[in-house]
């Protein structure tokens, strides 16, 4: 059936819901026939004659009489070419037109109503070809026999309002098909034999006809060709949108659908409803005589239900050239907005866009709850050399589970969670979840204020929290009701959350991440986590999170050999395998991998308002020989052991985060003497490297040395005195954090209080004295949960801190509560005293008073603010009271007042204090012109400020 233009005559009446296409005028058809030579014209006409008779017999009774009359006379047995002769009637000019097939499209009977005054039925007249058309006639006659054989095997299709042209193709060689007519009088389409080569574009066998106007074109089979069909079934097609959906072809618009398990597929375009031909194995196709692709939907019938949906293969790509260019360069700083699953409205239709980077894949399909985990019919397209696969699936929204079914280079299949998934199932389930955020933040005031001073010049004391075990069983929102109040009461400026990114094994504490863009679903949704961060901010508490770009686990549903080959991990097995943890290291030299990680750092800061990232295991990233024996690593291009790719990655990550997110701090857990961890990236050091660009660095040396000192019996401490003083040799080489973290209170290392020697009273006294020394020492503070109230047992992720120790009904509750009260007072005085934090990274902020009193186990030093206002810290790590202990002090301070004494009775101490102001004496001591005499309590630290 071919379209026709407007006519001045009356038009046949269509059946309900049927749109009658326009037909060309007789003059137009005559002109086109003279100018065009179609070799297969005569054969096509002869082949369609039986179909026309069948259509005429099935013409509804309501059809105009002229239609029946002309239909019966439409096909003389030996006619090789036909023309429609249009005749004018009288003054009414009503015309009944009969279309003759000018090409191999189809010949259909047409009739028109006459007016009330006069109706004229025209009779088809068979004419012999003129001399000037001899070539055409001869070519057609030569091929008539072969075409007649094919046509005799074609079944006439029932013309209903629910069906239009349908062509069925076999895998090997599709037979010729004829287009069924609608109930209204229309020309019958005779389609050409389809081959695998022309089934996609229709251009393989109809080259001469492509130059014809639409109404004269030679129709092709709309069925999916054998090659495309096989690739779609096997999940190896790189461009399903070029095959499926609606495409202009000679003869009209070809509609193709791939709907496994469907009973039927019907195209609905306005008033037209066309049931596609079932080509088997889930393929459906049909050719509609339309001039352009319409707006349409699909009615897909399954057993027991009919799905009314948009066609996923009619949409343009949702990613633009700029996105793909930036991904290829490794510079897409908001990568999470491009890749992953995103509910959206695209071309006016709601659905979800899926995009994944898998450059080695032969094909990628989406499987999920919306297709019963069979991705056969949801094939993604490859977006060129970017390695990105994309598809927009309409009518799919939030809450659906999904994974990517990837066909590897060897043809095998693997089902993978989305590397960019922003929500996951609760472990041990591993599916990704479609999500979008509706959260409205209330922390504008906090965000505006946090950039007022850099972290190393501001008070910064951190409470480290493992969220799942802080109060086991609490969700993010329940934690938001308890954690902010607890931390604020203790006076900490920040909390540090042990990895909240999704991880399959709880025993890893979150340090083996599989969902780098998803907060763990164990405690709630991503918006629930946003609520927790928002609540902490509104309580005046900053939020740091542990971030793990050093490695990832080998789970076969996650990142390891994601698309069948090393992708996120290094291609060299020696470089890829982490020797300590059985995990894989990232390939920092690959643009897309580096982009994945840099964007991930930004994601947490921008999407979740995280105030800082503590980067885990930096040392393992920096050295090629980290935990490797000779022969297990290859030197870099300069012959060194530095991982130059990792250095470049860390520099880029830090520079990008500080540029895009003002007020955020990055913190390195780096345990070696790498030069310039907290130096700016554009400043080169003695080693020739630019700085890594971190804001702060964990002082692992101070932590190990000081804990080693404290673990000794006091009588032996004089032999280890240097372990408490050595940190000041390098204290200003970096911007340091003093960490007493989770790593120091697990795996047989014992809790902080249990590391201390002596009886229970001495252990608690040592514990308090150590905290006082730590808070006064240059650097920021970090304390792991449970240590603030002297928990005796090691931490366990299974049950968390021993909160029962603070139960008023417990006999020793006061002793534990006293330690917690001390932590609160240390934080309170610390935050109110700029001398303890303003010049943490400046040597001008520290002066030794006495650092060599090893026999006394005494350490004394001054902390100074920019105006020179001092704080005097004195620690006595001996279990004896030292009366009238003389210390040199500045002469310009008229009196000193005891601010903190860790031996106070309210903290559980012996209450040896200096209650009255202490005035200096004009007696030089320790190289100073004045001195004071103090009573030093046993196993205690005392802070004094100018009175």
């Amino acid at each position: 059936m071919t379209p026709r233009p407007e006519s001045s005559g009356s038009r046949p009446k269509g059946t309900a819901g049927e749109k009658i296409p326009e037909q060309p005028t007789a003059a137009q058809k005559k002109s086109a026939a003279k100018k065009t030579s179609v070799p297969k014209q005569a054969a096509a006409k002869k082949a369609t004659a039986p179909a026309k008779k069948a259509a005429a017999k099935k013409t509804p009774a309501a059809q105009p009489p002229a239609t029946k009359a002309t239909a019966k006379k439409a096909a003389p047995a030996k006619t090789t070419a036909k023309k429609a002769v249009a005749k004018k009637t009288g003054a009414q000019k009503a015309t009944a037109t009969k279309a003759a097939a000018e090409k191999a499209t189809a010949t259909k009977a047409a009739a028109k109503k006459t007016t009330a005054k006069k109706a004229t039925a025209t009779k088809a007249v068979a004419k012999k070809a003129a001399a000037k058309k001899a070539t055409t006639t001869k070519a057609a006659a030569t091929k008539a026999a072969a075409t007649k054989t094919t046509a005799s095997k074609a079944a006439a299709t029932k013309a209903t309002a629910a069906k239009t042209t349908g062509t069925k193709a076999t895998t090997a060689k599709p037979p010729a098909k004829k287009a069924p007519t609608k109930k209204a009088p229309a020309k019958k389409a005779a389609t050409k034999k389809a081959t695998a080569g022309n089934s996609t574009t229709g251009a393989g066998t109809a080259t001469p006809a492509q130059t014809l106007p639409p109404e004269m074109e030679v129709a092709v089979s709309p069925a999916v060709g054998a090659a495309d069909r096989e690739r779609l079934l096997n999940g190896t097609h790189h461009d399903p949108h070029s095959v499926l959906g609606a495409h202009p072809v000679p003869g009209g618009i070809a509609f193709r659908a791939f709907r496994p398990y469907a009973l039927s597929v019907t195209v609905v375009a306005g008033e037209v409803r066309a049931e596609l031909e079932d080509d088997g194995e889930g393929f459906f196709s049909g050719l509609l005589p339309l001039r352009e692709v319409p707006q349409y939907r699909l009615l897909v019938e399954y057993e027991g239900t009919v799905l009314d949906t948009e066609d996923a293969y009619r949409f343009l790509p949702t990613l633009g050239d700029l996105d793909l260019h930036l991904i290829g360069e490794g510079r897409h700083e908001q990568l999470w907005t491009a890749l992953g699953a995103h509910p959206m409205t695209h071309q006016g239709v709601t659905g979800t866009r899926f995009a994944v980077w898998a450059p080695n894949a032969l094909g990628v399909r989406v499987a999920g709850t919306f297709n019963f985990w069979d991705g056969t019919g949801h094939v993604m397209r490859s977006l060129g050399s970017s390695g990105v696969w994309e598809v927009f699936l309409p009518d799919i929204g939030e809450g659906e589970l999904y994974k990517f079914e990837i066909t590897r280079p060897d043809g095998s299949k693997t089902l993978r969670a989305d590397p960019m998934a922003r929500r996951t199932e609760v472990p041990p389930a591993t599916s990704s979840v479609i999500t979008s955020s509706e959260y409205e933040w209330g922390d504008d005031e906090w965000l505006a204020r946090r950039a007022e001073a850099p972290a190393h010049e501001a008070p910064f004391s951190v409470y480290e929290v493992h969220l799942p075990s802080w109060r086991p069983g609490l969700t993010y929102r329940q934690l938001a009701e308890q954690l902010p109040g607890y931390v604020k009461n203790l006076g900490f400026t920040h909390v540090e959350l042990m990895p909240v990114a999704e991880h399959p094994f709880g025993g890893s504490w979150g340090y083996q991440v599989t969902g780098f863009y998803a907060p763990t679903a164990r405690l709630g949704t991503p918006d629930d986590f946003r609520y927790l961060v928002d609540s902490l901010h509104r309580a005046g508490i900053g939020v740091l999170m542990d971030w793990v770009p050093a490695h990832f686990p080998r789970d076969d549903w996650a990142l390891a050999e994601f698309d069948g080959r090393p992708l996120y991990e290094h291609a060299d097995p020696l470089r890829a395998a982490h020797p300590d943890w059985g995990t894989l290291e990232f390939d920092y030299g690959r643009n897309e991998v580096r982009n994945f990680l840099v964007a991930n750092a930004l994601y947490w800061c921008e999407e979740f308002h995280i105030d800082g990232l503590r980067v885990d295991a930096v040392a393992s990233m920096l050295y090629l020989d980290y935990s490797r024996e000779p022969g297990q690593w290859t030197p870099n291009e300069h012959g060194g052991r530095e991982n130059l790719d990792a250095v470049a990655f860390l520099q880029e990550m830090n520079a990008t985060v500080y540029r895009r997110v003002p007020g955020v701090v990055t913190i390195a857990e780096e345990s070696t003497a790498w030069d310039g961890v907290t130096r700016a990236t554009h400043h080169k050091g003695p080693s020739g490297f630019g700085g890594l660009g971190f804001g702060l660095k964990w002082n692992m040396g101070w932590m190990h040395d000081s804990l080693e000192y404290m673990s000794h019996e006091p009588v032996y401490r004089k032999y280890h005195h240097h372990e408490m003083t050595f940190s000041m040799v390098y204290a200003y080489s970096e911007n340091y954090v003093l960490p007493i973290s989770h790593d120091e209170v697990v795996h047989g290392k014992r809790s902080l209080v249990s590391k201390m020697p002596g009886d229970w009273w001495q252990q608690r006294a040592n514990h308090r004295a150590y905290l006082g020394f730590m808070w006064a020492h240059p650097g920021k503070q970090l304390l792991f949960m449970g240590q603030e109230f002297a928990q005796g047992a090691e931490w366990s992720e299974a049950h968390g801190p021993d909160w029962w120790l603070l139960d008023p009904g417990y006999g020793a509750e006061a002793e534990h509560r006293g330690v917690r009260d001390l932590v609160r007072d240390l934080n309170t005085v610390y935050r109110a005293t700029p001398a303890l934090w303003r010049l943490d990274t400046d040597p001008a902020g520290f002066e030794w008073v006495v650092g060599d009193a090893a026999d006394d186990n005494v350490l004394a030093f001054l902390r100074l603010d920019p105006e020179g206002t001092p704080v005097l810290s004195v620690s006595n790590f001996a279990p004896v009271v030292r009366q009238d202990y003389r210390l040199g002090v500045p002469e310009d301070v008229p009196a000193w007042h005891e601010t903190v004494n860790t031996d106070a009775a309210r903290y559980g101490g012996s209450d040896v204090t200096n209650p009255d102001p202490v005035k200096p004496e004009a007696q030089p001591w320790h190289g100073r012109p004045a001195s004071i005499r103090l009573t030093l309590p046993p196993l205690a630290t005392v802070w004094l400020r100018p009175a």
Side-chain angles (χ1 to χ4, degrees):
M1 184 171 71
T2 56
R4 63 181 181 183
E6 292 291 342
S7 171
S8 59
S10 59
R11 299 168 65 88
K13 185 180 298 183
T15 58
E18 181 178 358
K19 185 176 180 181
I20 305 301
E22 299 176 352
Q23 295 185 358
T25 62
Q28 288 173 324
K29 290 185 282 184
K30 183 176 182 180
S31 175
K34 288 179 179 181
K35 296 179 181 179
T36 308
S37 176
V38 184
K40 298 184 180 181
Q41 197 171 20
K45 293 179 196 173
K46 189 170 183 180
T48 54
K52 288 190 294 179
K53 291 181 180 180
K57 291 179 181 179
K58 294 183 180 181
T59 303
Q63 206 171 14
T67 302
K68 295 181 178 180
T70 55
K72 292 178 181 179
K73 300 176 182 180
K78 297 182 180 181
T79 301
T80 60
K82 292 184 180 181
K83 295 183 180 178
V85 181
K87 294 185 178 182
K88 296 183 181 179
T89 61
Q92 308 301 322
K93 295 185 179 181
T95 305
T97 307
K98 183 174 183 182
E102 304 294 346
K103 316 172 31 176
T105 53
T107 304
K108 300 180 181 180
K112 296 192 175 183
K113 280 186 178 181
T114 61
T115 61
K117 295 182 178 181
K118 188 175 181 181
T120 304
T122 61
K123 185 175 182 181
V125 179
K127 294 185 178 182
K128 291 184 178 181
K132 60 182 177 181
K133 299 179 66 177
T135 302
T136 302
T137 306
K138 184 177 181 180
T142 303
K143 299 179 181 180
T147 308
K148 183 175 181 181
T149 301
T150 303
S152 64
K153 294 180 182 180
T157 308
K158 185 177 182 179
T160 65
K163 289 189 178 182
T164 58
T165 308
T167 306
K168 189 171 184 178
T170 63
T171 301
K173 188 174 181 182
K177 289 290 179 180
K178 294 189 292 183
T181 64
K182 294 186 178 183
K183 291 184 179 179
K187 293 182 292 179
K188 184 80 174 176
T191 61
K192 297 171 72 176
K193 191 176 287 186
T195 66
N198 72 358
S199 63
T200 298
T201 62
T205 59
T207 302
Q210 289 180 348
T211 62
L212 298 176
E215 64 271 14
M216 301 293 293
E217 289 177 335
V218 178
V220 301
S221 168
V224 176
D228 288 320
R229 185 178 177 122
E230 182 179 2
R231 292 170 64 199
L232 287 168
L233 287 170
N234 292 335
T236 60
H237 208 295
H238 74 286
D239 191 11
H241 293 70
S242 68
V243 180
L244 304 176
H247 299 275
V249 298
I253 303 298
F255 290 84
R256 306 183 187 101
F258 182 33
R259 293 281 175 164
Y261 314 113
L263 302 179
S264 67
V265 177
T266 300
V267 173
V268 179
E271 296 180 355
V272 173
R273 293 168 61 92
E275 183 176 328
L276 303 182
E277 189 78 4
D278 186 347
D279 299 327
E281 296 184 291
F283 290 93
F284 298 83
S285 65
L287 181 66
L288 270 64
L290 305 173
R291 293 177 181 270
E292 59 185 20
V293 176
Q295 291 289 329
Y296 70 95
R297 294 179 64 83
L298 298 178
L299 294 180
V300 185
E301 181 185 0
Y302 296 97
E303 186 173 351
T305 186
V306 175
L307 178 65
D308 183 353
T309 183
E310 297 282 351
D311 185 355
Y313 297 95
R314 77 170 184 85
F315 295 97
L316 296 172
T318 57
L319 296 178
D321 291 340
L322 179 59
D323 285 315
L324 300 178
H325 174 75
L326 292 176
I327 291 171
E329 284 194 341
R331 293 176 49 245
H332 202 305
E333 294 177 356
Q334 290 186 307
L335 186 66
W336 67 91
T337 65
L339 301 182
H342 291 267
M344 63 189 304
T345 299
H346 181 49
Q347 294 178 215
V349 176
T350 59
T352 296
R353 184 271 311 285
F354 296 89
V356 64
W357 179 59
N360 298 310
L362 295 181
V364 184
R365 303 188 284 203
V366 185
T369 49
F370 44 85
N371 58 19
F372 301 97
W373 294 102
D374 183 349
T376 306
H378 286 141
V379 190
M380 303 179 75
R381 64 177 147 206
S382 173
L383 298 181
S385 62
S386 67
V388 175
W389 299 76
E390 179 268 357
V391 70
F392 175 78
L393 299 183
D395 307 323
I396 294 174
E398 288 193 57
E400 298 280 6
L401 308 183
Y402 72 98
K403 283 187 178 181
F404 294 115
E405 182 190 274
I406 296 174
T407 303
R408 301 183 180 106
D410 64 0
S412 62
K413 302 275 192 302
T414 180
L415 199 60
R416 299 291 175 132
D418 184 359
M420 303 292 297
R422 290 166 295 129
R423 184 180 173 188
T424 69
E425 278 190 289
V426 178
T430 60
S431 295
S432 304
V433 183
I434 300 173
T435 188
S436 63
S437 176
E438 304 295 333
Y439 189 75
E440 296 183 7
W441 290 90
D443 61 351
D444 292 346
E445 183 180 347
W446 168 267
L447 296 181
R449 191 176 68 248
R450 73 178 179 182
E452 291 176 353
H456 63 277
E457 296 180 356
F460 197 91
S461 61
V462 182
Y463 182 59
E464 188 184 21
V465 177
H466 179 253
L467 280 178
S469 68
W470 185 72
R471 291 282 174 87
L474 297 187
T475 65
Y476 289 128
R477 290 188 177 264
Q478 291 168 335
L479 284 163
E481 303 304 317
Q482 299 186 33
L483 184 61
Y486 183 81
V487 176
K488 183 176 183 178
N489 178 263
L490 289 182
F492 286 99
T493 64
H494 291 74
V495 292
E496 180 177 315
L497 308 179
M498 288 172 65
V500 294
E502 192 59 271
H503 49 282
F505 176 51
S508 75
W509 312 330
Y511 287 100
Q512 294 193 9
V513 178
T514 50
F516 281 82
Y517 284 78
T520 179
R522 294 170 173 86
L523 309 180
T525 68
D527 274 356
D528 292 339
F529 180 63
R530 288 181 173 91
Y531 180 80
L532 172 59
V533 175
D534 199 5
S535 299
L536 287 162
H537 282 171
R538 284 183 284 181
I541 300 163
V543 181
L544 314 174
M545 67 170 281
D546 281 16
W547 184 55
V548 192
H551 62 124
F552 57 91
R554 296 173 179 265
D555 299 77
D556 60 7
W557 49 268
L559 296 185
E561 293 192 349
F562 181 75
D563 58 2
R565 291 178 180 166
L567 188 65
Y568 289 92
E569 66 271 37
H570 203 281
D572 182 350
L574 294 180
R575 288 280 298 274
H578 197 292
D580 289 344
W581 305 314
T583 53
L584 296 170
E585 296 184 8
F586 283 101
D587 182 0
Y588 304 107
R590 186 161 189 167
N591 287 348
E592 296 89 347
V593 175
R594 192 172 65 251
N595 195 167
F596 173 81
L597 294 171
V598 172
N600 187 241
L602 291 172
Y603 172 74
W604 292 106
C605 296
E606 295 186 3
E607 292 292 324
F608 292 92
H609 294 196
I610 296 297
D611 302 296
L613 300 171
R614 178 266 195 183
V615 183
D616 183 62
V618 172
S620 73
M621 302 166 64
L622 292 175
Y623 298 98
L624 295 170
D625 63 345
Y626 184 89
S627 289
R628 292 178 172 92
E629 299 297 329
Q632 294 181 335
W633 63 280
T634 304
N636 63 33
E637 61 191 57
H638 305 297
R641 65 192 187 107
E642 300 85 4
N643 187 338
L644 303 181
D645 292 334
V647 171
F649 156 67
L650 291 171
Q651 290 174 327
E652 180 182 349
M653 182 277 295
N654 282 311
T656 306
V657 167
Y658 278 104
R659 171 172 53 82
R660 287 186 60 108
V661 195
V664 166
V665 63
T666 58
I667 307 167
E669 186 220 7
E670 203 283 314
S671 56
T672 73
W674 183 279
D675 175 54
V677 172
T678 59
R679 189 170 60 240
T681 57
H682 59 285
H683 290 167
K684 288 188 177 181
S687 63
F689 289 106
L692 296 182
F694 285 94
L696 298 169
K697 172 184 173 177
W698 273 22
N699 194 335
M700 309 293 281
W702 171 89
M703 181 267 296
H704 286 297
D705 288 347
S706 62
L707 290 180
E708 181 69 18
Y709 174 86
M710 295 301 299
S711 68
H712 294 297
E713 291 285 349
V715 68
Y716 300 117
R717 283 175 176 169
K718 64 181 180 180
Y719 304 111
H720 301 272
H721 194 74
H722 65 282
E723 293 174 348
M724 294 296 271
T725 60
F726 181 68
S727 61
M728 291 312 303
V729 173
Y730 60 87
Y732 302 105
S733 62
E734 303 281 4
N735 305 334
Y736 283 115
V737 174
L738 311 178
I740 302 299
S741 73
H742 64 279
D743 276 327
E744 310 317 314
V745 296
V746 291
H747 297 329
K749 295 180 182 178
R750 297 174 295 174
S751 68
L752 183 57
V753 71
S754 297
K755 295 177 189 292
M756 306 302 172
D759 58 23
W760 174 235
W761 188 94
Q762 290 178 327
Q763 285 183 310
R764 288 184 292 113
N766 276 301
H767 181 95
R768 297 192 303 266
Y770 181 73
L771 293 177
F773 169 78
M774 172 181 171
W775 252 252
H777 191 283
K780 311 306 180 183
Q781 297 77 39
L782 180 141
L783 188 66
F784 185 61
M785 63 183 193
Q787 313 317 302
E788 78 274 16
F789 57 84
Q791 172 177 314
E794 283 188 340
W795 168 65
S796 166
E797 78 278 357
H799 60 75
D802 292 333
W803 294 109
W804 56 269
L805 296 173
L806 297 172
D807 189 333
Y810 175 60
E813 177 268 340
E815 298 169 358
H816 295 281
R817 177 169 43 82
V819 177
R820 188 177 65 174
D821 291 344
L822 170 65
V823 172
R824 178 190 302 110
D825 291 348
L826 287 173
N827 275 323
T828 301
V829 176
Y830 167 80
R831 296 179 70 168
T833 309
L836 293 173
W837 45 263
R838 181 66 177 80
L839 298 178
D840 264 334
T841 60
D842 188 338
F846 178 90
E847 294 179 5
W848 278 113
V849 172
V850 55
D852 58 357
D855 289 341
D856 297 335
N857 293 349
V858 171
L859 295 162
F861 52 83
L862 292 170
R863 296 296 308 279
L864 305 166
D865 67 14
E867 289 71 39
T869 304
V871 170
L872 176 61
S873 174
V874 185
S875 297
N876 175 22
F877 291 113
V880 296
V881 178
R882 300 194 184 277
Q883 301 286 350
D884 294 329
Y885 197 85
R886 189 174 292 274
L887 296 168
V889 294
E891 61 180 345
D892 57 348
V893 177
W896 296 84
H897 173 68
E898 188 175 272
T899 303
V900 172
N901 186 326
T902 64
D903 192 50
R906 64 181 181 275
Y907 306 139
S910 59
D911 208 28
V912 176
T913 64
N914 296 275
D916 300 321
V918 179
K919 295 182 179 181
E921 299 174 1
Q923 180 176 350
W925 205 259
H926 294 140
R928 298 178 183 275
S931 60
I932 59 174
R933 290 181 296 166
L934 292 175
T935 298
L936 301 184
L939 300 176
T941 294
V942 177
W943 292 357
L944 298 100
R945 290 192 299 183

